[in-house]
Amino acid sequence: MVIAIIGILAALLFPVAQGAMEAAKRARAKSDTVGLCVAVKSYQTEYGRLPTTYTGDDQAEASFGWFQGPETGPRYNNQIIRVLVGENHNDLNPRKVSFFETRPAKGAGSKAKDGVTSDMLFLDPWGTPYA
């Protein structure tokens, strides 16, 4: 009888715990995006441009190139992260200033999530690359 009651209580608490875990993942993702925004703004303040190889004379065109260009896809995520963490990737950070602090991803390979993989791909808490 006691075991049945404990089982019922555990079953009732399981959805609550899962909801709390999802809320924590959403909070982590929000924190990551805010951190990326601050890093990009800091990069722009330092270099007077966005961390992309897009070169447009007009600032509006450069912004459009940043948001709509091919470098915003998940497969280019690691290139932008390399620049923001202080590497001089594609000669975009010649002073090697670190604008963004990373944490290692949890897990490995296709199971990696919530951090930066060994090849500098930044993943959200669900394991999807930030775009």
Side-chain angles (χ1 to χ4, degrees):
M1 181 72 172
V2 173
I3 293 174
I5 292 172
I6 291 172
I8 291 170
L9 289 174
L12 290 172
L13 290 176
F14 185 70
V16 172
Q18 272 194 312
M21 296 286 283
E22 277 301 307
K25 286 180 180 182
R26 284 191 304 272
R28 171 70 83 163
K30 183 177 180 179
S31 174
D32 288 345
T33 55
V34 167
L36 281 171
C37 289
V38 169
V40 168
K41 287 179 182 179
S42 297
Y43 178 95
Q44 187 175 26
T45 300
E46 180 75 21
Y47 290 109
R49 57 173 290 150
L50 295 169
T52 176
T53 56
Y54 179 83
T55 56
D57 296 331
D58 181 38
Q59 183 61 34
E61 286 180 19
S63 295
F64 181 78
W66 166 255
F67 290 110
Q68 301 296 325
E71 293 178 342
T72 59
R75 61 185 269 220
Y76 294 98
N77 166 315
N78 65 343
Q79 295 177 22
I80 293 170
I81 295 301
R82 286 179 193 280
V83 172
L84 294 177
V85 299
E87 290 184 20
N88 189 19
H89 185 70
N90 288 340
D91 203 33
L92 291 172
N93 193 350
R95 296 181 202 132
K96 297 184 179 179
V97 178
S98 178
F99 299 99
F100 188 64
E101 300 242 353
T102 62
R103 63 187 177 282
K106 298 173 185 170
S110 63
K111 301 279 186 190
K113 59 184 174 184
D114 197 22
V116 177
T117 63
S118 59
D119 61 346
M120 300 301 284
L121 187 64
F122 191 33
L123 304 174
D124 68 16
W126 297 272
T128 307
Y130 284 102

